[in-house]
Amino acid sequence: MSTALPASAEDKLHELITSLIEGQATDEQGEELSAMLQMSPTARSFYLAYLDLHANLFEEVDITEHLGRSLAEVDQTLTDEEIERVLAAEAGECVETNSANPPAAPAIAPSPLTTPPREQPRSYVYAAVFLALVAEVALVVFMLTAPGEPAMATLEQLDGRFAAGTVVAGDELPPGKYDLAAGVARVRFANGAQVAFEGPAQFELYSEKRIHLAQGKLLARVPAAGRGFTVETPGAAVIDLGTEFGVAVEADTGTAEVHVFEGRVEAELTPRADQTGAPPAKIELAAAEAKRIITPPGDRTRQPQIEDIVVDAKQFAKARVAEAGFLPPAAAAKVVQQSARRPEVNRPLRVAFLGDSITTGHTYLMLIEQAIAAAHDPRPQPVLINAGGGGNRASDMLARLDRDVIPARPDIVFLSTGLNDAVREVNDEDFQATVAAITDRLDQAGIRLAIMTTSVPAGKHEPQLPRLERFNEFLRKFAHDRGYKLADVNRRFLELRRQTGRSLLVDDDFHPDEDGQLPFAKAVLAALGYSDVDPPRRARADLEPGVIPHWWLQPRGPKRPPPLDAAAVAALQEDATWLQLDLPQPQPHPLWWRNQERQRGYAISIDGTDMAGPRYVGIAYVDSAEPRTVYFYTGGHVWSIWLNGQQLLSAATPAKWQVGTDRVKAQLHPGRNKIVIECGNDFFFAVRDQLTW
Amino acid sequence: MAEAATEQFVRLFARHQRDLFRYVLTLVANVEDAHEVLQETAAALWRKFDQYRPEEPFVPWARKFAYFEVLKFRRRHRYRGALLEDQVIELLAEQHATEADALEQRRHALGQCLEKLPEKDRELIQLRYWHDTTLQEVSEQSGRSVHMLYKSLVRIRRQLFDCINRSLATEAGG
């Protein structure tokens, strides 16, 4: 701002603008602010700068990355003898409760206390790509319903299977989302409508009159009593006017096809009246007509495009057979066999860890993995899935369940929460309700649970310790009452602390240090049934597969440089002035955790400091003998990815810390491929042939 | 052909949506409203994309549509969205065009200013902005009164605002 405002005017503007953006301004304040802005260009500058700050804060995320900043090492390590003694002392004990079949938890509606925090959309467009990737492995049935609602729909016939296998023929289907992994399911609605779904299909039942088809095919036959039965698709709501019709929705694009076999339907195109003020555009289809409804990419509420197509009954043949209700058993078996996966024999246990930054830091997971690998146990090595999130409270974890946990198809989830809830002063009722909501959701998805208690911070966090203790007490009792396994990290942590006389924390007084990871590993091993397996003293940090070994980097100057565009990327050419980076970085980092991540192949502290540092643009090359589909796995701070001049990822927020936060599908061409990324002072980037979890 | 246009549009919009979001929020003040306007803007841009000439910078072209959508939104929601008068919105939009560079500089200074905040203050900013939580929700979760939170938020935002002013003044001076 060139001209300064008088201090009193500044104060007034602060006050008025604040009321405005917090939604608390009165009409009088609106008039006052209007008057000031109308009179003075300087006031307008002030207003623009303030609102721009407000907007920027919605995008600023560096502040949330706890790990990159505050993990530092305390020069306190235990002697081997001390550790051995402690571990020996606790050998054999473990608290296990029967978890084979937790009692059916009452289904609950989402608690108003635990409104999940919304995250910024990463991108209107790339979100679609991300969802498509998730959809490849998503296998989930979850239902949210209030008890006592009348049956609005009944599963009459199932010649296939729902993903989580919790629904059988004859069951009432409450409102909620369903994922038909394979085969055909016939559902009768209370108003008489009969719908056959053909898998793979994902759909949601809202009421007896309204459903949503996100992916897959359905064939609907609606009697007069059910007139008005509506199938929502991304581009249009298909409304029955007394008919038989089929709807097919493509998974990737949301493009829908509507085929009318008898009678008429109406398709009401989105966006609807409440969004535009104009009446919704409608098209009507008569018998033997069909239309394709194409939603523009990036935003599924925009006006779709309509194409005429030829009606095709064959497309719905399987569903029609089911709908007619005479599917012979042999044919049913064939349908299932064609598309269902074979049951895996003796497959490894999949174990997910839903936690905070301590989980994200990955150390105790490595200890567990390495302990089991060294134990020559006859059971197959479990697959450990890191679903940690820096700074997470239980409510943050609840919000991430459907994105980070359930699609990973774990057999069992270890829930590690309470620390951030305590230091951020979440009240007891909210904490308890949120933990219950998480566990209910996992129960409904047919996933087993183990509850972890917490380590104990110190120093400035001490005022919150009584609260933390209450949380831990609750977690123990909750696990016991619900029949979940308990991994009592807290008890082991305090015991080790008492025996060694050390805090077991790094110098932020919050995160466990290297020795402080051992109680986590021990408690989890015991809960998994490996109570006789000792973790190694120190985790061995192996290089992650697919890390690109050589990068050229150039700082991009200020903290928030403008995003790269295609022209800028095309012009990028590394030369001698660029920084060259070899991964894994050969120099050890003085702080153990950062050193561990270096050994795993993260680029750590590129500018020599542990601060967020400048942003960089990085160039690397990957050779391929043939055209090849690969997945780019990112972690740490990666904002965008360009492959051979094409942008593949543009994230409003960088990846979370752990490997594979973003998994971006890419096509390598034969010969040399040029990868350009925008990254921060710490990043992870690997190229893998397969999507693994 | 249509596919190429789609792809081009998707890329351009993805790359510049943050700029457009900031612009729209500046004019409508409320973040939910800004998202709604941005959606409508995206729809409008897509409809008119055949008129876009690639040699023309995308953001100024797109801002015109965004401005138009802001006006339409204000007409639709006169009961809630229109605390500021129409003339003022027009003046602000005009002035925004001339101050885009200055705002860009301020944006660069923000990161350092955030880092200077004490942990507790950063946390509140994080709750309010990154998690997009309302003060009412923060209050329920933290047990602090809405009034206290409100005062803290105002103080912190003002600190950031002043810090940015200072750092720009320093740069200009040096």
Side-chain angles (χ1 to χ4, degrees):
Chain A
M1 282 161 297
S2 45
T3 333
L5 286 162
S8 60
E10 269 200 21
D11 287 346
K12 193 75 200 167
L13 278 172
H14 269 295
E15 180 202 319
L16 293 171
I17 296 172
T18 299
S19 299
L20 182 71
I21 64 185
E22 298 298 339
Q24 302 185 344
T26 61
D27 287 350
E28 293 75 41
Q29 285 179 314
E31 280 168 26
E32 197 176 352
L33 183 57
S34 287
M36 288 178 82
L37 294 177
Q38 192 146 17
M39 278 188 318
S40 158
T42 316
R44 291 200 290 276
S45 273
F46 184 100
Y47 174 93
L48 290 171
Y50 198 98
L51 266 289
D52 197 63
L53 167 65
H54 183 52
N56 276 313
L57 284 172
F58 280 105
E59 292 168 359
E60 179 63 51
V61 292
D62 285 358
I63 53 170
T64 61
E65 186 53 75
H66 287 199
L67 277 170
R69 180 178 300 111
S70 59
L71 268 185
E73 190 174 26
V74 172
D75 186 23
Q76 278 185 347
T77 45
L78 308 183
T79 65
D80 282 4
E81 295 82 75
E82 281 171 321
I83 296 286
E84 295 307 329
R85 204 172 59 237
V86 172
L87 292 177
E90 28 173 63
E93 71 64 52
C94 68
V95 186
E96 279 195 47
T97 51
N98 173 24
S99 75
N101 271 315
I108 59 149
S111 157
L113 294 175
T114 56
T115 310
R118 286 184 304 273
E119 293 195 2
Q120 284 292 313
R122 303 177 66 82
S123 144
Y124 289 82
V125 171
Y126 286 93
V129 176
F130 176 70
L131 287 177
L133 285 178
V134 170
E136 287 182 29
V137 287
L139 294 165
V140 49
V141 176
F142 55 87
M143 292 164 270
L144 285 173
T145 177
E149 283 184 18
M152 54 146 216
T154 309
L155 182 64
E156 285 202 332
Q157 184 184 357
L158 178 63
D159 300 305
R161 76 197 163 84
F162 279 92
T166 52
V167 191
V168 296
D171 277 3
E172 291 173 6
L173 301 182
K177 291 187 182 177
Y178 295 85
D179 185 339
L180 180 66
V184 182
R186 192 180 73 206
V187 178
R188 183 181 291 280
F189 289 79
N191 62 6
Q194 188 170 288
V195 179
F197 296 91
E198 188 186 321
Q202 293 177 357
F203 56 94
E204 183 165 7
L205 308 183
Y206 297 126
S207 72
E208 62 180 37
K209 293 170 82 163
R210 197 169 187 87
I211 66 175
H212 180 96
L213 181 67
Q215 177 199 339
K217 291 180 196 170
L218 66 76
L219 186 69
R221 175 172 281 282
V222 187
R227 186 168 284 213
F229 184 85
T230 301
V231 180
E232 284 186 14
T233 71
V238 181
I239 303 160
D240 164 72
L241 302 174
T243 188
E244 187 194 56
F245 64 97
V247 181
V249 178
E250 254 178 50
D252 292 344
T253 58
T255 294
E257 286 188 14
V258 182
H259 297 249
V260 180
F261 304 111
E262 281 175 34
R264 285 179 308 131
V265 304
E266 195 175 64
E268 201 173 79
L269 306 184
T270 48
R272 293 183 299 277
D274 53 339
Q275 287 166 319
T276 61
K282 286 179 189 171
I283 49 173
E284 213 176 286
L285 284 79
E289 284 189 347
K291 304 269 188 197
R292 182 177 288 132
I293 299 164
I294 303 162
T295 45
D299 177 355
R300 291 187 170 183
T301 63
R302 274 186 269 149
Q303 195 77 42
Q305 300 162 292
I306 311 295
E307 276 177 20
D308 284 322
I309 53 175
V310 177
V311 67
D312 177 10
K314 279 208 299 280
Q315 207 190 133
F316 300 92
K318 278 186 211 163
R320 185 183 296 279
V321 171
E323 197 188 35
F326 56 70
L327 189 67
K334 213 168 160 190
V335 171
V336 176
Q337 231 176 18
Q338 277 169 359
S339 42
R341 291 161 199 235
R342 284 165 188 281
E344 291 163 87
V345 180
N346 202 21
R347 68 179 185 85
L349 192 69
R350 296 172 67 83
V351 187
F353 293 84
L354 178 58
D356 51 29
S357 54
I358 298 173
T359 299
T360 311
H362 208 62
T363 313
Y364 76 83
L365 277 78
M366 292 195 297
L367 287 170
I368 294 163
E369 196 160 55
Q370 288 159 24
I372 296 174
H376 306 296
D377 193 280
R379 289 168 281 183
Q381 176 89 11
V383 176
L384 305 190
I385 298 152
N386 189 333
N392 267 206
R393 296 156 301 168
S395 54
D396 304 307
M397 296 178 200
L398 177 61
R400 296 192 295 115
L401 269 183
D402 293 324
R403 196 189 62 201
D404 294 350
V405 180
I406 292 175
R409 292 173 295 134
D411 299 298
I412 182 165
V413 169
F414 277 78
L415 175 64
S416 170
T417 188
L419 262 185
N420 287 303
D421 304 78
V423 302
R424 281 157 70 178
E425 301 180 27
V426 173
N427 70 44
D428 290 64
E429 296 79 52
D430 288 353
F431 178 70
Q432 296 178 10
T434 310
V435 169
I438 292 173
T439 58
D440 288 346
R441 188 68 157 270
L442 291 171
D443 282 344
Q444 283 160 1
I447 297 169
R448 283 188 288 153
L449 256 154
I451 306 281
M452 295 166 72
T453 52
T454 75
S455 54
V456 182
K460 65 174 179 177
H461 302 295
E462 261 160 27
Q464 297 312 328
L465 293 187
R467 185 186 297 264
L468 183 64
E469 205 173 305
R470 292 201 302 278
F471 287 2
N472 277 314
E473 256 327 293
F474 163 75
L475 289 169
R476 289 187 187 98
K477 183 169 183 308
F478 184 78
H480 178 265
D481 292 350
R482 292 279 193 106
Y484 301 136
K485 278 190 199 290
L486 176 70
D488 202 343
V489 174
N490 183 260
R491 192 182 52 72
R492 290 166 189 269
F493 191 87
L494 290 174
E495 212 160 280
L496 187 63
R497 184 183 271 182
R498 186 171 49 76
Q499 291 180 18
T500 59
R502 299 199 174 139
S503 76
L504 307 174
L505 301 171
V506 298
D507 69 2
D508 63 5
D509 284 333
F510 186 83
H511 294 94
D513 67 9
E514 206 169 1
D515 294 321
Q517 305 286 334
L518 286 166
F520 283 81
K522 274 299 279 184
V524 170
L525 283 166
L528 278 175
Y530 293 91
S531 44
D532 54 335
V533 173
D534 279 335
R537 256 305 296 289
R538 293 286 180 256
R540 185 188 67 247
D542 296 325
L543 184 63
E544 292 280 336
V547 170
I548 300 179
H550 192 77
W551 287 88
W552 302 78
L553 296 168
Q554 193 177 52
R556 296 199 64 214
K559 179 88 188 303
R560 300 185 64 82
L564 285 178
D565 58 25
V569 168
L572 282 174
Q573 191 57 53
E574 73 278 11
D575 60 35
T577 67
W578 286 52
L579 184 68
Q580 295 196 47
L581 178 75
D582 290 307
L583 295 177
Q585 286 163 289
Q587 325 77 331
H589 193 283
L591 306 180
W592 72 262
W593 180 76
R594 299 192 139 258
N595 195 46
Q596 165 194 305
E597 298 300 85
R598 245 183 205 182
Q599 291 169 4
R600 291 174 68 205
Y602 281 75
I604 295 289
S605 311
I606 298 167
D607 74 351
T609 78
D610 296 333
M611 303 297 287
R615 279 209 202 171
Y616 292 90
V617 57
I619 298 179
Y621 295 96
V622 175
D623 291 322
S624 181
E626 70 235 318
R628 193 152 66 99
T629 301
V630 295
Y631 297 89
F632 293 154
Y633 275 58
T634 67
H637 293 88
V638 175
W639 277 272
S640 68
I641 304 175
W642 303 70
L643 173 63
N644 300 323
Q646 300 272 306
Q647 186 162 22
L648 299 185
L649 175 80
S650 159
T653 62
K656 285 210 203 58
W657 187 261
Q658 66 253 22
V659 169
T661 312
D662 281 313
R663 281 161 286 209
V664 181
K665 196 173 184 176
Q667 297 291 336
L668 297 184
H669 62 51
R672 206 172 77 146
N673 292 268
K674 184 175 186 178
I675 296 169
V676 173
I677 64 172
E678 277 177 280
C679 60
N681 201 19
D682 305 311
F683 76 88
F684 180 88
F685 194 99
V687 182
R688 297 188 184 171
D689 286 327
Q690 285 178 334
L691 265 188
T692 54
W693 219 295
Chain B
M1 185 61 209
E3 213 162 276
T6 305
E7 189 176 329
Q8 194 194 6
F9 174 75
V10 167
R11 284 176 195 287
L12 281 168
F13 189 78
R15 195 174 318 133
H16 298 300
Q17 63 181 6
R18 285 184 261 178
D19 286 316
L20 294 173
F21 171 75
R22 283 195 297 268
Y23 177 73
V24 169
L25 184 63
T26 303
L27 298 179
V28 300
N30 174 294
V31 69
E32 297 298 328
D33 295 348
H35 282 302
E36 189 179 330
V37 171
L38 193 59
Q39 298 239 312
E40 296 299 329
T41 305
L45 290 171
W46 173 238
R47 283 196 296 271
K48 302 286 179 186
F49 193 57
D50 54 346
Q51 297 171 12
Y52 172 69
R53 287 171 295 119
E55 61 273 18
E56 187 182 358
F58 181 76
V59 172
W61 182 75
R63 274 200 194 123
K64 285 182 242 162
F65 288 86
Y67 177 64
F68 186 63
E69 291 300 329
V70 167
L71 297 183
K72 268 172 50 184
F73 176 86
R74 288 169 57 85
R75 278 199 295 278
R76 266 203 314 279
H77 297 292
R78 188 148 283 287
Y79 59 95
R80 67 166 162 152
L83 276 163
L84 295 182
E85 286 157 19
D86 286 349
Q87 277 171 312
V88 173
I89 297 297
E90 195 183 328
L91 286 169
L92 285 170
E94 255 172 42
Q95 194 154 333
H96 190 282
T98 64
E99 296 198 358
D101 289 349
L103 293 174
E104 187 71 28
Q105 279 178 17
R106 297 184 65 87
R107 195 146 45 244
H108 292 164
L110 172 61
Q112 291 149 11
C113 290
L114 271 169
E115 274 168 19
K116 287 180 196 157
L117 287 180
E119 176 80 27
K120 194 104 183 151
D121 289 354
R122 267 206 306 266
E123 261 176 30
L124 183 58
I125 289 285
Q126 180 183 336
L127 276 173
R128 172 66 182 83
Y129 284 97
W130 195 48
H131 294 304
D132 204 1
T133 323
T134 65
L135 287 182
Q136 187 60 45
E137 287 161 353
V138 178
S139 163
E140 279 166 13
Q141 286 174 6
S142 67
R144 290 151 75 189
S145 76
V146 174
H147 181 67
M148 282 287 301
L149 288 169
Y150 184 84
K151 279 175 70 171
S152 305
L153 191 63
V154 171
R155 171 183 55 78
I156 299 165
R157 215 160 32 208
R158 184 159 187 170
Q159 272 173 17
L160 288 172
F161 191 78
D162 292 344
C163 169
I164 293 171
N165 288 349
R166 276 197 306 278
S167 70
L168 290 186
T170 316
E171 262 176 40

